């Protein structure tokens, strides 16, 4: 029995495939969805998502958080970021992280708590993206 995986962003449907399984980075740790999984809604963290298509080798993507819903054999992930390793420009991301960290250090006294939290989350996402890219290069 197969599952059907659909990963959507505000801009596109990134994945629409029949799969054997999917491993997702939930906020409570990695979670694997297999056929006959209980229906669930879970918050997804920044990190690597790995799925096994019915006709093919495992595929790996970076997802930037979001929500996962499993209902019957449908697995739906809604996120704002889906990238393959080769789509991540490490030097650009490293520069963005350095600028954001500098802004965080220099502006933390004038930023509201909400702005500090938003900036810290952006830094965490960029660092997770770099880790994913480095892992896929090795």
């Amino acid at each position: 029995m197969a599952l059907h995986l659909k990963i959507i962003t505000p801009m596109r449907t990134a994945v629409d495939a029949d799969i054997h399984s999917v491993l997702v980075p939930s906020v409570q740790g990695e979670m694997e969805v297999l056929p006959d999984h209980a229906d669930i809604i879970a918050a997804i963290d920044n990190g690597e998502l790995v799925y096994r298509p019915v006709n093919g080798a495992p595929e790996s993507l970076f997802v930037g958080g979001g929500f996962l819903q499993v209902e019957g054999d449908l697995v739906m992930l809604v996120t704002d970021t889906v990238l393959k390793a080769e789509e991540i420009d490490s030097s650009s991301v490293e520069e963005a992280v350095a600028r954001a960290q500098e802004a965080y250090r220099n502006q933390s006294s004038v930023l509201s708590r909400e702005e500090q939290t938003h900036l810290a989350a952006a830094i965490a996402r960029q660092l997770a993206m770099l880790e994913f890219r480095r892992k896929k290069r090795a």
Side-chain angles (χ1 to χ4, degrees):
M1 181 172 153
L3 297 166
H4 188 80
L5 175 64
K6 197 168 221 179
I7 302 176
I8 60 173
T9 73
M11 303 302 286
R12 66 188 173 108
T13 298
V15 176
D16 192 357
D18 290 326
I19 63 167
H20 289 295
S21 65
V22 61
L23 185 65
V24 296
S26 86
V27 296
Q28 296 178 334
E30 283 190 330
M31 178 175 80
E32 186 170 23
V33 178
L34 299 165
D36 295 322
H37 195 285
D39 291 352
I40 189 171
I41 294 177
I44 301 304
D45 204 356
N46 300 317
E48 181 179 14
L49 176 143
V50 179
Y51 66 97
R52 287 187 29 231
V54 170
N55 297 318
E59 297 192 30
S60 178
L61 301 167
F62 175 83
V63 292
F67 291 93
L68 177 85
Q69 178 180 8
V70 177
E71 187 173 1
D73 65 352
L74 177 62
V75 180
M76 172 102 51
L77 175 67
V78 178
T79 182
D80 63 354
T81 306
V82 178
L83 297 168
K84 295 179 181 178
E86 58 271 13
E87 295 175 313
I88 299 170
D89 179 359
S90 296
S91 60
S92 294
V93 175
E94 288 169 351
E95 289 173 19
V97 168
R99 284 192 309 272
Q101 288 174 329
E102 184 66 23
Y104 188 79
R105 280 192 298 273
N106 292 336
Q107 301 298 320
S108 63
S109 61
V110 296
L111 294 175
S112 69
R113 282 219 189 271
E114 182 180 344
E115 291 168 325
Q116 289 177 18
T117 300
H118 181 73
L119 190 53
I123 292 168
R125 174 178 291 200
Q126 298 294 321
L127 290 173
M129 196 180 296
L130 278 176
E131 179 62 28
F132 171 74
R133 177 70 173 130
R134 287 184 182 130
K135 178 180 170 185
K136 293 300 158 188
R137 271 195 197 158

